[in-house]
Amino acid sequence: MAESEPGRRGGLEPLSKERVAAALDARGSHYLEDEDGDLYGFWDGCLFYFFVMGRYNEILQVRGTWWGRLSDDQYDAALRATNDWNLQKIWPKAYARVDDGEVRIVAEVSVDYEHDLTDAQLGQHLNCALGTTGNFFDQLNETFAVEAAIARAEFERD
């Protein structure tokens, strides 16, 4: 059995914000860093954050917020849309919440990398999170077509 490089176990390395940034760079993604040091960007007008969290920075969570704005009287419809998704799909976990009188729909893909991960696994996590969340948001764009069209026009104007 061949020896690994010192500090490496078969290509496994600890999760870090720097590795997430490098993986996003490798994808050609455009992203920013907020005042808390969290990475974020927009994919198809929707806001995504890339959180490295946990006691030992071992959890990667990709959290996307759908761009449509729903009034609080649409909460039940948003809840049905997220529950239907969660019943049928593994990823992302989706939920609706009321924030300042508006319903926000959020989707998350979280994985615990306590035992480290390879660059390929990190890339796969990002692909899965962005791809499956994009599919969910496409479904929301159909379900809430008017609100999605308004959000798209506002996003394109800015």
Side-chain angles (χ1 to χ4, degrees):
M1 181 165 155
E3 279 188 42
S4 315
E5 295 177 34
R8 294 182 60 110
R9 297 185 320 259
L12 295 173
E13 291 289 336
L15 177 65
S16 68
K17 183 180 76 173
E18 294 74 22
R19 287 190 68 201
V20 174
L24 289 169
D25 289 339
R27 293 173 46 92
S29 298
H30 300 284
Y31 61 92
L32 301 164
E33 187 172 327
D34 71 10
E35 62 277 354
D36 295 328
D38 296 316
L39 304 177
Y40 72 96
F42 292 88
W43 276 258
D44 294 325
C46 298
L47 176 63
F48 283 81
Y49 268 91
F50 304 87
F51 296 112
V52 175
M53 55 200 326
R55 184 172 180 186
Y56 302 105
N57 290 324
E58 74 280 13
I59 299 169
L60 175 58
Q61 181 182 82
V62 179
R63 182 184 306 161
T65 302
W66 181 62
W67 62 356
R69 296 174 192 248
L70 304 175
S71 61
D72 60 356
D73 66 330
Q74 293 173 291
Y75 179 72
D76 287 343
L79 194 58
R80 275 191 307 278
T82 57
N83 284 347
D84 288 347
W85 178 270
N86 289 330
L87 284 169
Q88 298 172 27
K89 307 290 183 181
I90 298 172
W91 294 298
K93 171 185 79 176
Y95 55 93
R97 62 187 173 96
V98 178
D99 186 20
D100 293 328
E102 286 186 342
V103 176
R104 306 304 280 161
I105 300 178
V106 180
E108 300 174 352
V109 175
S110 303
V111 177
D112 182 337
Y113 292 111
E114 177 183 350
H115 300 289
D116 301 337
L117 74 161
T118 65
D119 289 343
Q121 288 170 315
L122 178 54
Q124 178 60 30
H125 183 141
L126 295 176
N127 289 339
C128 173
L130 292 169
T132 60
T133 301
N135 291 339
F136 174 55
F137 290 167
D138 287 344
Q139 185 172 313
L140 292 175
N141 289 338
E142 292 176 16
T143 302
F144 302 103
V146 171
E147 294 83 358
I150 292 169
R152 179 176 299 283
E154 288 174 1
F155 183 78
E156 291 173 353
R157 184 178 62 232
D158 293 341

